[in-house]
Amino acid sequence: MKHHNGLKTAVLLGAMSAIVIAIGYAFGGSTGVLIAAVIAVGMNAYAYFNSDKIALRAMRARPVTEAESPQLYATVRELSQRAGQPMPRLYVSPTMQPNAFATGRNPEHAAVAVTDGILRLLTPAELRAVLGHELSHVYNRDILISSVAGALAGIITMLANLAIFIPLGNSDNDRPNPLVLLLTMILGPVAAGLIQMAVSRSREYEADADGARLTGDPLALASALEKISAGVDRMPARADSRIAEQSHLMIESPLRGGGLASLFSTHPPTTQRVARLREMARGVVR
């Protein structure tokens, strides 16, 4: 599964790179492509090296000591040692919505955060299963992949914004091309949504399976996902909130809604994730 997902990601990113080059050349020639690429890659390089700080700040997460959260430390230390990986930094967010996420560009710079809501909701076995899922994201280098996908989406958005300044046809006036304006409003968000949907959904399934193998308890993760999903249903985040900006990192999307919101969801349906975990517990290989 891991190799198949890696191949699909490589194909996706290669295809999107080709589209970026084609659009950039059509709108602004080689100069337009170069300018957009340099700016977008620079911005995303900053986001990549500071991804943990950005995410933790958005969630208002604070670092916790072992004296404050001995059980949390004991669980993460046990799982890290089982995986043969370094101990990540641990944070707690005051958010009452039950959720958790991991961030950092590699295991040596990783951080795992949980919300107050999830600490109050889950049993120790369920919380351990969630932590196994989040650690698996770190070990699978999912943050790196998300950063590359984000860079491509940023380049596409930048090209669309530069296209505003292209005049309409051969007219002497400087009115923008209506088609270009339409692309400006649609192209960037759609490209970003498609990239995140294609990359993140497969990564969630993989982290579920790897986390269940790490903890040896797929049913605990299935139970935790059901509780977390129900908790998010009761208190969904606003689409314009800072929490929503980090939705792709969460174990469960903090947003709720249909239509385009569900089309571009970065998470597969919870029912499908739970079904896979239960099949895994029965020894059924998908």
Side-chain angles (χ1 to χ4, degrees):
M1 175 67 74
K2 183 180 295 187
H3 297 301
H4 289 130
N5 285 336
L7 178 59
K8 286 189 292 186
T9 301
V11 171
L12 170 70
L13 298 183
M16 292 306 299
S17 297
I19 293 173
V20 167
I21 293 172
I23 293 174
Y25 182 79
F27 282 164
S30 58
T31 301
V33 172
L34 180 60
I35 293 174
V38 169
I39 294 175
V41 169
M43 292 174 59
N44 282 280
Y46 172 83
Y48 168 68
F49 286 107
N50 294 275
S51 61
D52 54 345
K53 299 180 183 67
I54 294 170
L56 293 167
R57 191 180 306 120
M59 294 295 294
R60 296 183 292 123
R62 66 177 183 86
V64 291
T65 65
E66 188 165 5
E68 291 176 289
S69 301
Q71 187 58 50
L72 183 63
Y73 265 81
T75 301
V76 175
R77 181 177 291 113
E78 179 253 321
L79 293 174
S80 299
Q81 291 175 348
R82 181 186 287 254
Q85 297 286 348
M87 177 80 177
R89 292 167 290 137
L90 299 184
Y91 290 77
V92 173
S93 166
T95 306
M96 289 311 300
Q97 184 194 88
N99 232 313
F101 68 94
T103 185
R105 60 185 183 273
N106 54 42
E108 289 72 29
H109 298 86
V112 173
V114 295
T115 66
D116 277 335
I118 204 171
L119 291 175
R120 299 186 185 192
L121 179 67
L122 302 186
T123 67
E126 290 166 343
L127 181 60
R128 179 174 178 269
V130 167
L131 293 169
H133 169 101
E134 294 305 328
L135 289 171
S136 293
H137 272 309
V138 175
Y139 304 153
N140 293 341
R141 303 300 200 278
D142 288 343
I143 303 302
L144 173 60
I145 294 169
S146 296
S147 297
V148 174
L152 285 175
I155 291 172
I156 294 173
T157 303
M158 186 71 66
L159 288 173
N161 290 334
L162 289 176
I164 293 178
F165 302 103
I166 297 177
L168 176 62
N170 295 321
S171 173
D172 293 332
N173 60 45
D174 293 327
R175 287 182 301 159
N177 189 325
L179 177 59
V180 169
L181 291 176
L182 182 63
L183 287 173
T184 300
M185 293 184 292
I186 295 176
L187 185 59
V190 167
L194 289 174
I195 290 172
Q196 290 294 340
M197 180 175 63
V199 172
S200 297
R201 287 191 172 193
S202 64
R203 300 299 165 187
E204 289 303 319
Y205 283 131
E206 186 173 322
D208 283 346
D210 289 346
R213 281 189 284 268
L214 178 61
T215 62
D217 197 350
L219 291 181
L221 182 55
S223 175
L225 287 173
E226 289 177 324
K227 287 186 178 181
I228 295 169
S229 181
V232 174
D233 286 340
R234 289 192 296 269
M235 53 181 76
R238 301 189 317 274
D240 60 347
S241 68
R242 298 185 72 184
I243 296 177
E245 296 174 3
Q246 306 302 322
S247 62
H248 63 290
L249 294 177
M250 306 292 181
I251 189 170
E252 172 76 17
S253 174
L255 307 174
R256 286 294 183 264
L260 289 177
S262 61
L263 176 62
F264 296 131
S265 172
T266 58
H267 293 67
T270 301
T271 53
Q272 293 182 17
R273 297 171 68 183
V274 168
R276 288 185 179 216
L277 288 164
R278 287 178 176 161
E279 289 183 357
M280 185 177 180
R282 293 193 297 267
V284 178
V285 180
R286 292 182 67 92

